[in-house]
Amino acid sequence: MQFRVILRILGILLMLFSLAMLPSMGVSLWYNDGSVFPFGVSFIVIFVVGILVWLPSFGSKQEMRTREGFLVTALFWVVLGTAGSLPLYLAATPNLSFTDAFFESFSGLTTTGATVISGLDDLPKSILFYRQQLQWMGGMGIVVLAVAILPMLGIGGMQLYRAEAPGPVKDNKLTPRIAETAKALWYIYLGFTVVCALAYWAAGMSLFDAIGHSFSTVAIGGFSTKDASIGYFDSPLIESIAIVFMILSAANFSLHFVAFRRKSLRGYFQDPEYQFFLLVIGGLMLLMSLGLWLTSTETGWRALRMGSFEAVSVMTTSGFAASGFSHWPLFLPFLLFLSSFIGGSAASTAGGMKSIRILLLWKQGIREIKRLIHPNGVFPVKVGRKEMPERVLAAVWGFFAVFMFTFTVLLTVLLATGLDFLTAWSVLGSAMNNLGPGLGEASANYANINDPAKWILCFAMLLGRLEIFTLIVIFSPMFWRR
Amino acid sequence: MQFRVILRILGILLMLFSLAMLPSMGVSLWYNDGSVFPFGVSFIVIFVVGILVWLPSFGSKQEMRTREGFLVTALFWVVLGTAGSLPLYLAATPNLSFTDAFFESFSGLTTTGATVISGLDDLPKSILFYRQQLQWMGGMGIVVLAVAILPMLGIGGMQLYRAEAPGPVKDNKLTPRIAETAKALWYIYLGFTVVCALAYWAAGMSLFDAIGHSFSTVAIGGFSTKDASIGYFDSPLIESIAIVFMILSAANFSLHFVAFRRKSLRGYFQDPEYQFFLLVIGGLMLLMSLGLWLTSTETGWRALRMGSFEAVSVMTTSGFAASGFSHWPLFLPFLLFLSSFIGGSAASTAGGMKSIRILLLWKQGIREIKRLIHPNGVFPVKVGRKEMPERVLAAVWGFFAVFMFTFTVLLTVLLATGLDFLTAWSVLGSAMNNLGPGLGEASANYANINDPAKWILCFAMLLGRLEIFTLIVIFSPMFWRR
Ligand SMILES: [K+]
Ligand SMILES: [K+]
């Protein structure tokens, strides 16, 4: 292991990340909300730590290879999550313990959007802005991770778009390709954010709320500046804008890339994963609306409005609330939570297992039934016109089984901390799918969840964001032996 | 589809099944418990219906093929489950609705062992005997099904012992082979039952209880003649006997077959599935005992005694209670329930997904991690010394995914009937794994579960018993098209 190259990268990341304190300082000064101090201190501390971490590798010529890639990818979230918690810990309002500050920061950066804070509406503007911005930066990180980095490690949904067998790419010099791809993605991401913010603003949000919510919408993060989330604005127009941008952000970013290059929307309609995603989300919107209507939970158009919004919000793993769903008959939120296990497209800011994997699992399930009826038949699994290699299919099964296994182990541990079954199941699903909201004791927020459980949930968020295998590989003895 | 052959077989089965009323009539007369009538009427009705079903195919020369095999296998349980509910419905004590009578009969025959009856201790002896006998017959049916029939359909865990690709066997004439195998299995099954009954009797049970409990132990059924189950006897010796016979009954019956033929126990120690099963159950016994001790739920040796018994009882999917576990800290019963998803060996009377499948899933999960670290390595999945064909591995993944998918759909439906999350999850897991006990509202028995939920649970028991695919194949259009 070449630790110097790892330290160099982390040092640079920390120095860059320290700059994230500056906009919040600006907001604090502008609104005179008395929170300049925590951001100022954090800026200096994080920057200095960054230099100290970077210094030993000054002049080193080591290059990052796949092996270091695994570690850097995992450490990226842990290190920035810790750094990001600093101003939240230092701030006088809200008065957070270290656990809570870390949870909030980590939940933000991984775009999970679970919050331990109640009384958002009364927080200093700079803190609110900072939380939204954490999600936005996290979202950007995820796209770069998913499009450029995970495939090089042989992990992640984008893998499934490659015709070859999964596994790390051969090229050992990763840096130039990452930089080039990241730049293009950055422009798309920024473009979406600006348009979304303008739309929210035009629809009646204040400029502050518009920018804040566009950050967390495009990042599929789900943080809000209001306790009541999107429901605060009680506006069908704002909800519609949110729906559009959540569905857009849940698309594979390489589709956006192609669309902007070719000035054509055709790519979206030719992508089997996105088609599948849209089909399921359409069905879920209907099902939810019907469910609300038939159980008389909501009446008339409101059933359609709330059902559709929550369906999109949860299946994309955004986690915004229009009316909330904890008071609905349990099978409806349960169904919603199930959809978050599917999630958006690979290489989007969405969480979950990713639509492409579920599509492949579904097709393979059907194939097994066909094979039972016609044991001598040959049934290739196709996505679009492309036949998927058995090697890739095995990787999808593997992902599913390991996901379920990990989920089950963590659920047992959460129950052992004393959570009840519904709460534990929902917050764990929410964390691993990077969704945000919980049920049971976590219906309103995560303030009542015990501290050990919060740390386990942070770990689950990381697992979800790294599509599990990155972390598992690092924990396997084989990784360190070679 | 050759319906005549199906009717002929079902007719014969019904006529044979009607004979099952006679022992209970004998018990009723012996104890003079006033329940001769329901069994007498049932005997006549079931026998006559059997003749009427059988008659149209008299003289028909049609042979059963794989295709009819699927239907007969599924109908076997449904038809006998219905027939078996008749005396329970007719009996004055307990006074059961049709739903409850069907649930009790179906739960018995599938060796699930979930009961809707409270106050077992005061029931007529004949009814008690009948319930135990239902499980015993069901257990015998399962062994024949798993060893002889499911493999011919290309379904079930035994499949994984074959070196070839899964799929129905070529031979279209199934009957002679089934009969021959069934006879050998019958002797083994009967032998275990007799020895187990004698052991219980010698350990202090009445002869009636000894026979009754040996029926439900060897069948891994879990019905008892007491509300307090095995706990009623409060005897470490009886619990030990139960543990031994549960663990024996959870072994693949072809291992017993080989052991009796060769007069050697070596086969048990050379079977990778049974080794894996024993390893997991050993770990679980330790974990449970430790858990009970550390949480001060039980003290001293009692922690070891109760932890071990419930671990064996639940992982083998027997479902007997020594102390019960609904008052334990939730993570302990949850862990127990998880082990029931593993279950015993293929071709045993145990339920669950079967140890061999979980072993293969585990090995494949490990392989995916190895493949990520060494993308060019070749890592065959071996069981013992035998390399498993990829085709078989795909079938295991498929089973797991379809199991989980079915579980999730049924869980949603159960929640929609109004059950709470813990109750719904536990009773569904209990039904699909043919385990028996539930948590939450079903902690004591299933009397408080609503009727629609009971029917769904019956369906889940059937799914579990038929290792899912038998039913799914029947429901697929392709099956009927060819
Ligand atoms: K989220
Ligand atoms: K059972």
Side-chain angles (χ1 to χ4, degrees), chain B residues 408-480:
Chain B
T408 307
V409 171
L410 292 180
L411 183 51
T412 313
V413 181
L414 280 180
L415 291 175
T417 70
L419 296 188
D420 69 84
F421 195 55
L422 180 62
T423 306
W425 185 88
S426 65
V427 294
L428 181 58
S430 201
M432 274 186 78
N433 297 327
N434 300 112
L435 165 60
L439 298 170
E441 288 177 64
S443 292
N445 56 55
Y446 284 63
N448 293 325
I449 304 297
N450 63 68
D451 277 6
K454 278 181 194 145
W455 287 104
I456 294 161
L457 291 176
C458 287
F459 181 69
M461 293 174 201
L462 185 62
L463 271 173
R465 218 55 287 188
L466 296 177
E467 311 209 4
I468 297 182
F469 275 108
T470 319
L471 266 193
I472 289 188
V473 163
I474 290 175
F475 287 138
S476 72
M478 203 185 196
F479 176 74
W480 295 97

Side-chain angles (χ1 to χ4, degrees), chain A residues 154 168 334-335 338 368-369 371-375 391 395 397 401 408 411-412 415-416 421 425 472 476 478 482, chain B residues 154 168 331 334-335 338 368-369 371-375 391 395 397 401 408 411-412 415-416 421 425 472 476 478 482:
Chain A
F334 178 70
L335 211 56
L338 286 183
E368 286 308 315
I369 295 167
R371 279 177 165 175
L372 275 171
I373 301 178
H374 296 298
R391 185 80 170 65
W397 291 124
T408 307
L411 183 50
T412 312
L415 291 175
F421 195 53
W425 185 88
I472 289 188
S476 72
M478 203 185 196
R482 68 168 180 179
Chain B
F331 75 103
F334 177 71
L335 210 57
L338 285 183
E368 286 307 315
I369 294 167
R371 278 179 167 174
L372 275 171
I373 301 177
H374 295 299
R391 184 80 169 66
W397 291 125
T408 307
L411 183 51
T412 313
L415 291 175
F421 195 55
W425 185 88
I472 289 188
S476 72
M478 203 185 196
R482 68 169 179 177

Side-chain angles (χ1 to χ4, degrees), chain A residues 111-113 220-222 317-319 434-436:
Chain A
T111 76
T112 306
I220 309 205
T317 73
S318 301
N434 300 111
L435 165 61

Side-chain angles (χ1 to χ4, degrees), chain A residues 166-331:
Chain A
V169 288
K170 303 296 167 296
D171 187 5
N172 266 341
K173 298 182 181 175
L174 303 183
T175 337
R177 258 181 75 184
I178 294 176
E180 184 196 329
T181 316
K183 202 168 136 192
L185 295 173
W186 160 248
Y187 286 123
I188 295 169
Y189 191 72
L190 185 66
F192 276 139
T193 312
V194 171
V195 177
C196 181
L198 290 174
Y200 277 146
W201 193 28
M205 280 192 190
S206 72
L207 188 59
F208 179 82
D209 286 340
I211 294 174
H213 282 91
S214 83
F215 278 178
S216 59
T217 304
V218 173
I220 309 205
F223 268 167
S224 172
T225 56
K226 313 286 178 189
D227 278 342
S229 189
I230 294 285
Y232 171 89
F233 305 100
D234 194 15
S235 152
L237 182 58
I238 286 178
E239 288 157 24
S240 306
I241 295 169
I243 285 179
V244 168
F245 280 92
M246 288 191 281
I247 287 183
L248 270 177
S249 305
N252 190 319
F253 265 63
S254 38
L255 292 183
H256 300 315
F257 191 76
V258 171
F260 280 93
R261 271 272 166 89
R262 303 202 187 141
K263 317 263 177 265
S264 153
L265 297 178
R266 205 186 299 158
Y268 295 109
F269 301 103
Q270 287 176 342
D271 181 56
E273 179 184 25
Y274 203 49
Q275 284 175 331
F276 174 73
F277 166 78
L278 291 176
L279 193 76
V280 176
I281 214 167
L284 190 68
M285 288 163 88
L286 260 174
L287 212 61
M288 279 300 124
S289 308
L290 258 176
L292 289 175
W293 187 61
L294 291 175
T295 58
S296 309
T297 312
E298 300 278 5
T299 49
W301 286 108
R302 229 184 114 80
L304 185 64
R305 182 179 152 196
M306 292 307 156
S308 302
F309 184 85
E310 300 294 358
V312 173
S313 172
V314 176
M315 171 140 173
T316 58
T317 73
S318 301
F320 287 120
S323 70
F325 42 69
S326 53
H327 58 290
W328 294 0
L330 184 56
F331 76 103

Side-chain angles (χ1 to χ4, degrees), chain B residues 12-186:
Chain B
I12 294 171
L13 278 173
L14 279 171
M15 287 187 269
L16 285 173
F17 186 76
S18 69
L19 302 177
M21 304 300 143
L22 303 182
S24 298
M25 282 175 78
V27 171
S28 183
L29 290 169
W30 177 268
Y31 287 101
N32 194 20
D33 69 0
S35 295
V36 182
F37 173 75
F39 291 109
V41 172
S42 302
F43 169 60
I44 296 168
V45 171
I46 297 171
F47 190 80
V48 170
V49 171
I51 290 184
L52 293 178
V53 170
W54 170 76
L55 222 53
S57 63
F58 181 76
S60 154
K61 296 271 182 229
Q62 290 183 349
E63 289 272 356
M64 185 166 80
R65 300 162 311 172
T66 5
R67 232 180 134 194
E68 286 79 30
F70 276 100
L71 264 184
V72 166
T73 308
L75 285 173
F76 173 84
W77 300 98
V78 177
V79 168
L80 296 196
T82 312
S85 66
L86 196 56
L88 293 171
Y89 180 60
L90 294 177
T93 324
N95 185 11
L96 298 180
S97 68
F98 177 65
T99 298
D100 280 354
F102 185 86
F103 183 90
E104 194 78 10
S105 160
F106 211 69
S107 165
L109 264 182
T110 56
T111 77
T112 306
T115 183
V116 289
I117 304 173
S118 62
L120 289 173
D121 309 50
D122 304 323
L123 280 192
K125 294 277 189 195
S126 57
I127 299 278
L128 287 176
F129 183 83
Y130 177 70
R131 288 169 75 247
Q132 304 300 113
Q133 187 197 260
L134 271 183
Q135 296 222 303
W136 190 62
M137 293 188 303
M140 184 64 219
I142 287 152
V143 174
V144 174
L145 190 75
V147 175
I149 302 181
L150 286 186
M152 302 202 182
L153 306 182
I155 284 174
M158 273 303 277
Q159 204 56 31
L160 308 170
Y161 279 86
R162 290 165 56 191
E164 323 116 63
V169 287
K170 302 296 166 296
D171 186 4
N172 267 341
K173 298 181 182 178
L174 303 183
T175 338
R177 259 181 75 186
I178 294 175
E180 186 196 330
T181 317
K183 202 168 136 192
L185 295 174
W186 161 248

